[in-house]
Amino acid sequence: MSQTLSRLVRDAEDAVPITCVTPDSWPSVEAALPLPQAAYARATDFAPKAGRIALLPGDDGRLANILFGLGDGEDRMLPGKLPGALPPGTYRFAPADGVDAAEATLAWLLGSYRFGRYRANGSERPALALTEGVDGEALARIAEAVAQGRDLVNTPANDLGPTEIEAAIRAVAARHGADLAVVTGADLARDFPLVHTVGSSSPRAPRLIDLTWGPADAPRVTLVGKGVAFDTGGLDIKPSSAMLLMKKDMGGAAAAIAAADMVMGSGLHLRLRLIVPAVENAVSGEAFRPGDVIRSRAGLTVEIGNTDAEGRLILADALALADAEAPDLLIDFATLTGAARVALGPDLPAFFTEDDALAQAVSEAGLACADPVWRLPLHKPYASLLDSKVADLNNVSGGPFAGAITAALFLRRFAPATRAHVHFDLYGWNPSTKPGRPEGGEVQTARLVHTLLSRRYPKA
Ligand code: BES
Ligand code: MN
Ligand code: ZN
């Protein structure tokens, strides 16, 4: 397990128990406490409200028991608050009614993450001893994949360009014995003109990264992630306030990589493909311009209405590659539009699909693992907002309406053969710390996709 997460240990001998309590269970829990502990809880005004913590001493004055209030149980990631709140030491979740120990353990791990690349970050974290029956290895794999994705998002663009995105995927491929192909240079210019066009503004060479794993005859699942190492907006340059956070514009790639890592780590029965177009959208004399017209990989010509709508351009070529083999399931992840954030806020990624049954399965998988999303419509009549007078389509609509939907409709044009296609428009960032979700880079929808795929293509 990496340094960025709290340790999971097996031996629970002297671990301090954490007793989770709800308003319903509190009276009986309180009644069963040793009298001095019950008195201490009362004296310190403990109540079973969401996130409340009481550190109860034993007769010898040492920490003997932790009370943790769950409130109405609405926030299932609440135990993720604990690693940041408890003193160093080893703890374990005591069995309690209505508490899913595996979920609490995952919340703990996700909440223990800190970004430590540039300085030692804070004090020693408490360790967690595994509860009987909880698959610690499976949970650690998931938390590790999330932590690595968060590290990628948090790493500033001076240390994370297209090369480093490739290196991160190479490392995951090596760990799981996956194959990797990378297209750059003249080959990229010929075969992925939109990726080349966007990425040519930067001295840090653009590339198309293509990982495959698993038996060729298994169901085909392809994940595509937007890998914009930094988004200045290009010649349609962003104002500084909008550019400030744009190191996170590879948050889609981070989510796709994390999902792929989880899928391969769990050995699911599928043939996985992970495609990441990796670029920097920079400003230079080599930069593409508003009004340029480019023939995409799919053959459609695209007029550039705005160089800041670069994500859909690089995804278009990546989706065309994916679509050529018409996979059984195609999922793309992207920090694609500000409009999706305006509609749903930072914590709730939008998703789009034409397949109602698949949409239901996506929503359910998100609920099951507390990685929630919300569906928005692929409203076909809005496709005309992307009409161009000189090319097959424009990369933006002229007006202020339905920006997340028109972006999704743009993408759909490039994967016509694939029926089961899910597009996630995500934010990739926690604006402030919440339980299990430390402020900074966030990996959204990867656990959802892992849950969805685990249900559809379980390990043989
Ligand atoms: N990376 C941005 C979208 C974004 C901005 C996501 C802020 C999350 C937070 C994307 O490349 C972009 O700039 N989109 C433009 C599209 C517009 C020019 C049609 C946007 O949303 O403003
Ligand atoms: Mn942009
Ligand atoms: Zn972008």
Side-chain angles (χ1 to χ4, degrees):
M1 173 145 310
S2 79
Q3 291 289 307
T4 52
L5 294 178
S6 126
R7 267 178 323 118
L8 270 187
V9 298
R10 272 188 199 287
D11 186 9
E13 277 293 272
D14 50 6
V16 179
I18 299 167
T19 309
C20 296
V21 289
T22 63
D24 283 347
S25 70
W26 175 230
S28 62
V29 170
E30 186 181 21
L33 288 174
L35 286 178
Q37 289 189 12
Y40 186 93
R42 254 194 313 280
T44 55
D45 200 28
F46 177 78
K49 291 181 183 155
R52 294 284 283 275
I53 297 171
L55 310 180
L56 302 182
D59 294 339
D60 55 3
R62 294 185 200 213
L63 208 47
N65 193 1
I66 308 293
L67 298 177
F68 184 57
L70 295 179
D72 58 11
E74 199 93 306
D75 183 358
R76 286 151 58 200
M77 284 288 139
L78 208 55
K81 181 179 178 181
L82 289 163
L86 295 177
T90 303
Y91 300 84
R92 68 180 165 83
F93 287 106
D97 284 348
V99 177
D100 179 336
E103 192 167 272
T105 301
L106 181 62
W108 171 294
L109 289 175
L110 296 177
S112 72
Y113 170 87
R114 277 178 282 182
F115 181 53
R117 180 165 173 150
Y118 299 103
R119 67 166 189 213
N121 202 342
S123 51
E124 189 195 328
R125 270 144 299 188
L128 185 66
L130 277 172
T131 308
E132 262 299 294
V134 171
D135 185 347
E137 261 154 48
L139 295 177
R141 269 202 305 273
I142 291 169
E144 268 301 310
V146 170
Q148 273 165 26
R150 287 173 176 170
D151 278 348
L152 290 175
V153 177
N154 284 326
T155 301
N158 62 307
D159 279 331
L160 191 109
T163 317
E164 289 75 20
I165 294 174
E166 176 187 329
I169 297 173
R170 224 171 251 297
V172 174
R175 201 141 33 80
H176 298 289
D179 293 325
L180 198 72
V182 179
V183 184
T184 55
D187 293 341
L188 189 78
R190 184 188 62 235
D191 296 337
F192 299 92
L194 290 172
V195 181
H196 167 78
T197 294
V198 173
S200 293
S201 59
S202 169
R204 302 200 285 173
R207 63 208 62 204
L208 189 288
I209 305 153
D210 187 357
L211 172 155
T212 47
W213 173 88
D217 56 351
R220 294 172 179 198
V221 176
T222 300
L223 310 180
V224 177
K226 171 180 172 181
V228 176
F230 194 80
D231 183 10
T232 63
L235 293 180
D236 286 302
I237 194 166
K238 290 178 183 293
S240 57
S241 58
M243 204 190 294
L244 189 58
L245 266 183
M246 280 301 129
K247 68 173 181 179
K248 78 173 174 71
D249 214 17
M250 32 54 67
I257 295 166
D261 193 3
M262 292 176 203
V263 164
M264 294 187 283
S266 320
L268 299 188
H269 178 66
L270 52 84
R271 204 293 310 252
L272 182 72
R273 192 167 184 195
L274 167 67
I275 302 173
V276 172
V279 304
E280 177 176 7
N281 190 20
V283 179
S284 79
E286 309 278 319
F288 70 126
R289 312 154 196 85
D292 283 359
V293 176
I294 297 136
R295 186 176 299 278
S296 69
R297 176 182 178 86
L300 292 169
T301 53
V302 181
E303 181 185 10
I304 306 303
N306 192 317
T307 62
D308 198 11
E310 84 296 340
R312 64 195 72 181
L313 295 174
I314 64 170
L315 288 172
D317 277 354
L319 290 171
L321 173 67
D323 193 58
E325 60 170 356
D328 297 284
L329 182 55
L330 172 60
I331 306 176
D332 76 73
F333 309 74
T335 50
L336 202 61
T337 70
R341 258 43 302 140
V342 172
L344 298 175
D347 301 344
L348 202 54
F351 79 96
F352 298 81
T353 180
E354 282 152 10
D355 182 329
D356 290 341
L358 180 56
Q360 184 70 24
V362 167
S363 296
E364 281 171 15
L367 275 183
C369 66
D371 194 6
V373 293
W374 202 262
R375 188 185 187 188
L376 292 180
L378 278 161
H379 188 58
K380 291 262 172 58
Y382 288 165
S384 63
L385 293 170
L386 296 169
D387 285 350
S388 162
K389 294 202 170 75
V390 298
D392 291 322
L393 73 171
N394 199 292
N395 76 328
V396 293
S397 101
F401 301 129
I405 298 175
T406 50
L409 288 167
F410 181 93
L411 296 183
R412 275 304 292 146
R413 293 287 298 275
F414 296 87
T418 308
R419 298 329 304 168
H421 175 192
V422 181
H423 158 55
F424 287 109
D425 191 336
L426 48 90
Y427 192 62
W429 192 264
N430 297 319
S432 62
T433 296
K434 302 205 184 78
R437 292 180 287 150
E439 181 175 334
E442 185 55 293
V443 171
Q444 294 174 319
T445 72
R447 290 187 298 107
L448 178 161
V449 166
H450 177 242
T451 300
L452 177 78
L453 298 179
S454 301
R455 291 172 170 189
R456 297 201 152 198
Y457 312 108
K459 185 176 175 173

